[in-house]
């Protein structure tokens, strides 16, 4: 039986602090399914400038995603999520495209993600990666970060429970 896809008009824009509760509500089902890691609300407020959201003309938030800069040329796509009823309608791809534009504007040319949604990211040019993706001197600098996402990128032992079953992927953008 064919899945019904809802076609909705939406815009992708920079997130605002008023979006934080909506972002949390949007990702909560994915946290419950252990697809995304849950975060405290304060973490979303601290990172609100990294987020883009997809919003309908009626103000419904139907998708979100964040770009976190990790190094001079390296960023991570984080918390990319689309509401269940808007899956397969291009919302995730539109948010990802906006995050890629943001990355290029900042000088970031490589994007990393840690995901269960391998087919989606493969369709958008991401490829699975091994363990060594940065030079040893950059690794030495990154290991000083307190950010859990950086620890996941580096595949550090202390975050292994968070990454089980996920695929580490990378894309070079130009």
């Amino acid at each position: 039986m064919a899945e019904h896809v809802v076609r909705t008009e939406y815009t992708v824009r920079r997130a605002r602090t008023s979006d934080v509760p909506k972002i949390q509500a949007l990702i909560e089902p994915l946290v419950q399914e252990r697809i995304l890691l849950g975060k405290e609300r304060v973490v979303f407020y601290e990172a609100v400038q990294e987020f883009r959201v997809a919003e309908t003309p009626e103000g419904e938030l139907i998708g979100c995603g964040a770009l976190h800069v990790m190094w001079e040329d390296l960023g991570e796509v984080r918390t990319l999520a689309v509401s269940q009823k808007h899956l397969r309608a291009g919302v995730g791809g539109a948010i990802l495209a906006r995050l890629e534009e943001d990355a290029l504007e900042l000088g970031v040319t490589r994007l990393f993600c840690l995901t269960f949604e391998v087919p989606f990211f493969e369709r958008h040019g991401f490829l699975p990666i091994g363990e060594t993706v940065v030079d040893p001197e950059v690794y030495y600098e990154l290991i000083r970060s307190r950010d859990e996402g950086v620890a996941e990128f580096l595949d550090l032992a202390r975050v292994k429970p968070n990454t089980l079953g996920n695929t580490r992927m990378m894309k070079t953008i130009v």
Side-chain angles (χ1 to χ4, degrees):
M1 188 166 167
E3 187 174 329
H4 178 69
V5 176
V6 176
R7 298 287 173 199
T8 303
E9 285 188 40
Y10 60 89
T11 56
V12 177
R13 63 166 174 80
R14 179 177 299 280
R16 298 186 280 265
T17 56
S18 60
D19 294 320
V20 167
K22 296 175 190 176
I23 290 170
Q24 265 196 310
L26 178 73
I27 71 163
E28 186 56 31
L30 299 170
V31 171
Q32 294 303 315
E33 291 180 49
R34 302 178 57 92
I35 293 170
L36 290 177
L37 287 176
K39 296 176 184 160
E40 298 298 326
R41 187 167 289 186
V42 67
V43 174
F44 287 107
Y45 282 116
E46 290 172 342
V48 73
Q49 71 280 356
E50 298 179 355
F51 274 85
R52 297 290 188 231
V53 295
E55 179 181 55
T56 66
E58 298 77 33
E60 179 187 6
L61 196 141
I62 62 171
C64 67
L67 170 67
H68 181 77
V69 176
M70 298 169 72
W71 197 249
E72 177 183 15
D73 67 333
L74 181 63
E76 180 183 8
V77 174
R78 292 184 172 179
T79 320
L80 184 59
V82 175
S83 71
Q84 186 68 34
K85 75 177 190 179
H86 293 93
L87 289 175
R88 293 171 194 66
V91 177
I95 293 169
L96 184 57
R98 180 67 180 272
L99 295 175
E100 288 181 13
E101 289 173 21
D102 294 345
L104 288 172
E105 193 174 296
L106 291 167
V108 171
T109 56
R110 294 186 304 155
L111 290 178
F112 164 78
C113 69
L114 183 66
T115 185
F116 288 108
E117 301 298 329
V118 173
F120 169 83
F121 282 99
E122 283 179 333
R123 284 193 306 274
H124 293 280
F126 284 75
L127 298 171
I129 57 171
E131 292 182 22
T132 308
V133 293
V134 293
D135 295 331
E137 50 277 353
V138 173
Y139 181 93
Y140 176 73
E141 293 293 332
L142 287 174
I143 205 164
R144 296 175 179 185
S145 174
R146 290 187 167 85
D147 186 278
E148 289 297 302
V150 173
E152 291 167 352
F153 170 74
L154 296 174
D155 208 22
L156 301 180
R158 68 181 168 86
V159 294
K160 290 284 189 192
N162 295 347
T163 64
L164 292 176
N166 281 296
T167 299
R168 300 165 79 241
M169 301 183 82
M170 183 84 71
K171 177 180 182 178
T172 299
I173 55 176
V174 288

